[in-house]
Amino acid sequence: AFVNSASGGGMGHSLYKDLCSHLGPTHVFDLNSCRPGQMPEDTLIKYAHDPMVKILACGGDGTMGWIFSSLDSVWATILGKSSSSTRVHASPFKNHLPLAIMPLGTGNDLSRQFGWGGKFEQSMRKKNMIMEVQSAILTSLDRWRCIIMPAEAIGDEEKKTIPKILAESLHYDEVAKCESEEVKRKKTLEALQSLLAENEQSKSKLTNSLLGSLAKGNSGASKSPCPSIQFFDGVFCNYFSLGFDATVAYLFHHERENHPEKFTSPLKNKLIYVEKKSC
């Protein structure tokens, strides 16, 4: 079991003790105590080959996303980062390490959708919850990869690799060019190929290259009037936000990180969320 002790208005601390009494302290982990070498994936990989092991994650939607990302790391390590078949649902491990949810967050949308409840109940502290996890029916969850790139970074040839429905919005004004057209198009093609490829090594190479270009562009000695190629590559479960809604979510998260003492109950959390919307 993984417990986010910062969730549930501090309720995670007492829940951690309850779970330790049910499962034993060696099988319960506080996500707030993670550090290099003791991350969720370091624990999960030890049980990845056992089809009988199930995971209980106690927290909100953000906690679920964290554990899912840790599972991605586990399967990438086991299946091989350079393998052409790194998708766990197409492997013999497709039913290994299923995730159950104990809702300790503010919204708990994912927990509600999968029948674990929209809010924490005191009855969940009892051992019956562990038994429910053990007997639960496995259900598949779609997770989505979202890649965001500025249209200015895409050349005419590279646009052909984009689905037609997306390419219709890629009309933009000409911008100042600091490189030859051939060099620019080559970089762009490599960027798209790396982003869309399953090969994590090539994506890491691209990321390091882009970060190097960005750092060079920001240095005083070699500033460039052209914008650096910037992109976002992430995974989401049920939804993602852009613009105003994303800003509010960021402000809420930032406030909770800096002032956890303000977030003592799901109701107060929601009120703070509303406050951030009115800012």
Side-chain angles (χ1 to χ4, degrees):
F2 294 92
V3 183
N4 187 347
S5 59
S7 296
M11 194 180 302
H13 290 289
S14 59
L15 183 61
Y16 175 84
K17 296 179 181 179
D18 292 335
L19 288 172
C20 284
S21 65
H22 298 326
L23 299 173
T26 58
H27 294 96
V28 184
F29 307 89
D30 186 355
L31 294 173
N32 271 0
S33 301
C34 290
R35 56 183 182 273
Q38 296 186 5
M39 301 298 287
E41 52 267 33
D42 298 316
T43 298
L44 293 170
I45 199 167
K46 300 175 184 177
Y47 302 98
H49 291 83
D50 189 343
M52 301 303 293
V53 174
K54 295 184 177 181
I55 308 167
L56 175 61
C58 310
D61 293 333
T63 301
M64 302 307 116
W66 185 355
I67 300 301
F68 281 131
S69 296
S70 297
L71 287 170
D72 288 341
S73 299
V74 169
W75 300 129
T77 300
I78 292 177
L79 298 176
K81 292 184 178 181
S82 59
S83 171
S84 60
S85 178
T86 57
R87 297 181 179 179
V88 64
H89 68 265
S91 75
F93 300 96
K94 63 179 181 179
N95 292 330
H96 288 219
L97 299 181
L99 181 64
I101 306 170
M102 184 181 292
L104 284 184
T106 303
N108 302 310
D109 296 318
L110 199 61
S111 175
R112 187 184 296 106
Q113 195 69 23
F114 279 83
W116 293 103
K119 63 179 182 178
F120 178 78
E121 304 287 350
Q122 289 299 322
S123 59
M124 295 178 179
R125 294 179 178 274
K126 300 179 181 179
K127 201 168 185 177
N128 290 346
M129 181 68 182
I130 307 300
M131 298 174 63
E132 289 182 16
V133 172
Q134 292 174 336
S135 60
I137 300 173
L138 297 186
T139 305
S140 297
L141 167 67
D142 288 332
R143 296 172 65 232
W144 304 82
R145 185 178 181 186
C146 177
I147 301 174
I148 301 175
M149 288 183 69
E152 292 82 356
I154 304 175
D156 291 336
E157 286 297 319
E158 290 70 50
K159 287 181 184 177
K160 296 178 182 179
T161 66
I162 300 175
K164 184 177 179 181
I165 191 172
L166 298 178
E168 292 174 356
S169 62
L170 291 180
H171 300 290
Y172 55 89
D173 296 331
E174 285 293 321
V175 295
K177 298 179 177 61
C178 297
E179 300 174 313
S180 69
E181 197 65 29
E182 182 180 355
V183 172
K184 179 182 176 182
R185 287 171 58 157
K186 182 179 179 181
K187 283 187 177 181
T188 305
L189 181 59
E190 291 176 352
L192 283 172
Q193 289 175 336
S194 298
L195 287 171
L196 298 175
E198 290 287 337
N199 193 324
E200 291 292 327
Q201 186 175 4
S202 65
K203 191 178 81 170
S204 176
K205 182 179 179 182
L206 169 69
T207 302
N208 293 334
S209 174
L210 293 179
L211 288 176
S213 298
L214 183 60
K216 184 178 179 181
N218 289 337
S219 65
S222 58
K223 280 191 176 181
S224 168
C226 283
S228 301
I229 298 176
Q230 299 180 42
F231 66 91
F232 170 82
D233 186 358
V235 179
F236 65 95
C237 297
N238 35 352
Y239 52 76
F240 72 98
S241 300
L242 293 171
F244 175 74
D245 188 42
T247 301
V248 173
Y250 170 77
L251 292 174
F252 176 86
H253 174 74
H254 187 69
E255 186 76 8
R256 183 163 59 177
E257 289 286 312
N258 291 332
H259 302 284
E261 70 280 359
K262 295 182 180 180
F263 299 81
T264 56
S265 72
L267 178 58
K268 286 186 177 180
N269 293 357
K270 291 175 182 178
L271 291 175
I272 295 175
Y273 202 95
V274 172
E275 178 190 0
K276 295 300 176 184
K277 278 191 173 184
S278 62
C279 291

